[in-house]
């Protein structure tokens, strides 16, 4: 069950736009799992998501805090941006983070979450960002390949390919 799409994202600007477009598909309670090497564009994508969701605060890599909450400016869901890199076990620890926000009413974006968040929800959107090897590299930015996989009933009817 679910849906799948692979996009080529040529520039950081386009990555941000993809985040904004993706935000339009997200609803409260959604879990987005971001993976990709350092510098792949995870934070750029999340920043676009934050813009699309119209949340408060600059989205930066949450390296020093494990989770950062960006409340909505427009009565929509908050964006909870989690860096699971330093979460030891799994997201039971999320419950202990004492986020002043209800996770079922928020959009949760987790970086470095593989193997840690899968139990949290059967419905999730997995976003893997990879460098598009073999493509002609630009001056300062290689194209990225973004693989979107929507898992569970929540994503069954969502046409992710329309983002391409």
């Amino acid at each position: 069950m679910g849906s799948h799409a692979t996009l080529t994202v040529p520039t950081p600007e386009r990555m941000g736009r993809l985040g904004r477009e993706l935000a339009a598909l997200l609803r409260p309670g959604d879990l987005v799992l971001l993976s990709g090497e350092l510098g792949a564009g995870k934070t750029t994508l999340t920043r676009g998501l934050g813009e699309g969701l119209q949340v408060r605060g600059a989205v930066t890599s949450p390296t020093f805090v494990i989770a950062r909450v960006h409340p909505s400016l427009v009565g929509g869901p908050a964006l909870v941006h989690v860096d699971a890199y330093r979460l030891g076990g799994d997201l039971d620890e999320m419950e202990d983070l004492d986020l002043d926000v209800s996770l079922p009413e928020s959009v949760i974006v987790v970086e470095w979450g593989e193997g840690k968040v899968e139990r949290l929800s059967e419905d999730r959107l997995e976003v893997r960002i990879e460098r598009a090897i073999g493509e002609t590299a630009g001056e300062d930015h290689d194209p990225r390949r973004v693989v979107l996989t929507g898992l569970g009933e929540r994503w069954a009817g969502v046409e992710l390919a329309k983002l391409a």
Side-chain angles (χ1 to χ4, degrees):
M1 289 260 272
S3 56
H4 188 82
T6 301
L7 321 174
T8 298
V9 178
T11 62
E13 292 72 30
R14 184 70 186 88
M15 187 69 80
R17 195 165 98 222
L18 176 62
R20 291 192 297 276
E21 291 167 0
L22 206 47
L25 299 177
L26 295 175
R27 330 196 264 245
D30 278 348
L31 174 65
V32 180
L33 183 57
L34 282 187
S35 60
E37 59 194 80
L38 274 171
K42 296 186 296 296
T43 300
T44 304
L45 182 74
T46 307
R47 192 173 295 131
L49 276 178
E51 289 169 11
L53 291 170
Q54 294 183 270
V55 297
R56 190 172 76 223
V59 172
T60 56
S61 188
T63 307
F64 297 107
V65 293
I66 289 177
R68 191 174 272 137
V69 176
H70 298 276
S72 174
L73 295 170
V74 292
L79 172 65
V80 180
H81 188 198
V82 182
D83 185 339
Y85 192 67
R86 294 174 314 127
L87 270 185
D90 53 36
L91 282 201
D92 292 342
E93 290 186 46
M94 281 273 296
E95 301 303 320
D96 308 335
L97 292 178
D98 193 30
L99 301 170
D100 56 342
V101 65
S102 159
L103 296 180
E105 290 161 21
S106 307
V107 168
I108 307 159
V109 175
V110 183
E111 297 189 22
W112 305 109
E114 303 98 315
K116 297 179 182 176
V117 300
E118 285 81 359
R119 275 187 330 108
L120 199 66
S121 176
E122 297 192 351
D123 295 313
R124 62 184 180 274
L125 178 63
E126 296 186 350
V127 181
R128 174 173 292 283
I129 305 174
E130 351 179 291
R131 288 199 162 83
I133 308 298
E135 312 240 354
T136 52
E139 292 288 300
D140 56 354
H141 188 77
D142 305 332
R144 301 287 191 256
R145 181 171 294 114
V146 179
V147 181
L148 301 164
T149 309
L151 299 170
E153 283 178 29
R154 155 71 181 94
W155 293 97
V158 179
E159 291 187 43
L160 294 171
K162 285 199 301 207
L163 294 165

